Amino acid sequence: MLFEDIVSLNSPHTKSMLKLLFEERGIRIKKQWGQNFLIDQNLLQFIAKTAELSRNDVVLEIGAGTGSLTRLIAEKAGHVFAVELDRKLFEILTETLKDFNNVTLINRDILKSKHHIQPEIVEAISDYVHTAASATGDLCIKVISNLPYYISTPVIIDLLQEVLPIKTMVLTLQRDTTNRMVAHPGTRNYGVLSIMTKLFADVKVLKKLPPDVFWPVPLVDSAIVKMTVNRHRYAGRIRDYLGFQDVIRSIYSSRRKTLSNSLLSLCASHGIKKNPARIGTRPNGEAGRAGGETRQDLVTILERVGIRPESRGEELEIEALIELSNEISDYVNSQKDFV
């Protein structure tokens, strides 16, 4: 008897169906890749509906698995780029989507590195949008994903910073991740993900999910969030985005450090040492000093922007972080002239 006679990939991908399918194909669940399949059919429909898809939408799905959600997306969207790393799952995905001509399947890791999405994937989507838009008009890029939890934070941050003009993201995430995304200053969950999310998007938690809507059952609760991306909200206020990133990483890599100590470490990483002051002239003709009393310089900067030097990063609103990063970037760049 042929396998197709036992299980139809066109049927709902339920727990019993997937167990039988994986047994027949000799597929083992890879826990290290965060393989937990959403098997609640109502939730799959909810995700597709929440994305408000139309034929003008180009969708990136990350971790497409066996294609149960991909199929629902492809029925509504103009085109879908479905990314799946696991080779055996990719073979099933290919069979599931064989009747759809508006799906591009990609058997790759979504990440090139911790800080970069695979450039080939970005290029493929960009090329499609450029070509299709000339014939059909403006297209909208959306991201829909039951995102593998072990890569969720870098993927979210990288997508928010990516050149792709993403409008909306509908993501299924670990509750711990969603808690950090919506955390407020002064709380233990507030950190880099909270800041980067607020910098680029509005986030709404739509549903909290118990573990048993997945197979295998994870050890954590999950949630579905919708992110409305707005990259222009703070863009005009950050003078040096790379400098802003440096400041954020420095402050939140050691949360128990005071701001002055964290920024002192940042200056040291740029070669600005706590040596006796050396008087010099800056490119603009002003007198300045390299290195010198760096700690006192930093204290002066913190006080100038209204922040107590003994404060810690989790206390700062994003507006204060932007103002601080602008000042620190200017200071670091000026001191480099004498290093």
Side-chain angles (χ1 to χ4, degrees), residues 150-247:
Y150 77 106
I151 60 168
S152 59
T153 295
V155 166
I156 292 168
I157 293 175
D158 292 347
L159 287 173
L160 288 172
Q161 298 178 123
E162 189 50 71
V163 295
L164 290 173
I166 298 167
K167 179 181 179 181
T168 303
M169 294 197 278
V170 180
L171 308 175
T172 306
L173 300 165
Q174 183 177 339
R175 280 283 300 282
D176 175 67
T177 302
T178 64
N179 289 342
R180 287 188 287 123
M181 291 172 74
V182 300
H184 297 289
T187 63
R188 65 181 182 86
N189 285 317
Y190 187 71
V192 174
L193 183 59
S194 321
I195 294 161
M196 299 308 293
T197 299
K198 186 172 183 180
L199 189 68
F200 291 117
D202 296 312
V203 182
K204 185 175 182 180
V205 179
L206 302 179
K207 277 186 183 292
K208 298 176 182 179
L209 309 181
D212 60 6
V213 300
F214 296 91
W215 177 78
V217 177
L219 299 177
V220 295
D221 290 337
S222 305
I224 298 171
V225 300
K226 184 173 185 179
M227 304 177 66
T228 303
V229 180
N230 179 1
R231 292 194 175 118
H232 304 294
R233 179 185 297 146
Y234 295 103
R237 296 176 55 184
I238 300 176
R239 293 199 292 267
D240 177 1
Y241 184 67
L242 291 178
F244 176 82
Q245 289 178 306
D246 279 348
V247 169

